[in-house]
Amino acid sequence: MVIAAIVALGVGTYAMRLSGVLLGERLKLSPALQQALPIAAATLLAALAGTAALMESSHFAGVARPVGVAVGALLAWRRAPFVAVVVAAAATTALLRLAGVP
């Protein structure tokens, strides 16, 4: 049953991506919509990142996780290497939790 669900999701994902390639030239979008699509994608990504940074299940994740994300965002903004960003964010969160900060 699980394998059938995985295969169905894979086929569905492939079909959606293929339809974008096949219908891309036939589908005409207004200039306003063409300008709004990249902004909508960035907004959706920011909303997902914010939700993941602040929430755990349906509850607030505590202070440690958003502080770790903020440290990672600051280092990414300062153009630190990706590995350094991830390690610093994880270490900040872990150290705050070790210190008893929720």
Side-chain angles (χ1 to χ4, degrees), residues 28-45:
K28 298 297 180 193
L29 302 175
S30 69
L33 186 58
Q34 287 179 348
Q35 287 180 335
L37 284 177
I39 295 169
T43 303
L44 178 62
L45 183 60

Side-chain angles (χ1 to χ4, degrees), residues 20-29:
V21 172
L22 296 177
L23 298 176
E25 297 297 321
R26 296 181 194 171
L27 188 62
K28 298 297 180 193
L29 302 175

Side-chain angles (χ1 to χ4, degrees), residues 64-65 67-73 75 82-98:
R65 187 186 295 176
V67 171
V69 170
V71 168
L75 289 174
F82 179 72
V83 173
V85 170
V86 172
V87 169
T92 301
T93 303
L95 288 172
L96 285 173
R97 288 185 177 166
L98 185 65

Side-chain angles (χ1 to χ4, degrees), residues 45-84:
L45 183 60
L48 288 172
T51 302
L54 297 174
M55 303 299 290
E56 184 173 326
S57 183
S58 62
H59 304 295
F60 179 62
V63 177
R65 187 186 295 176
V67 171
V69 170
V71 168
L74 177 68
L75 289 174
W77 178 63
R78 300 288 298 165
R79 299 190 187 269
F82 179 72
V83 173

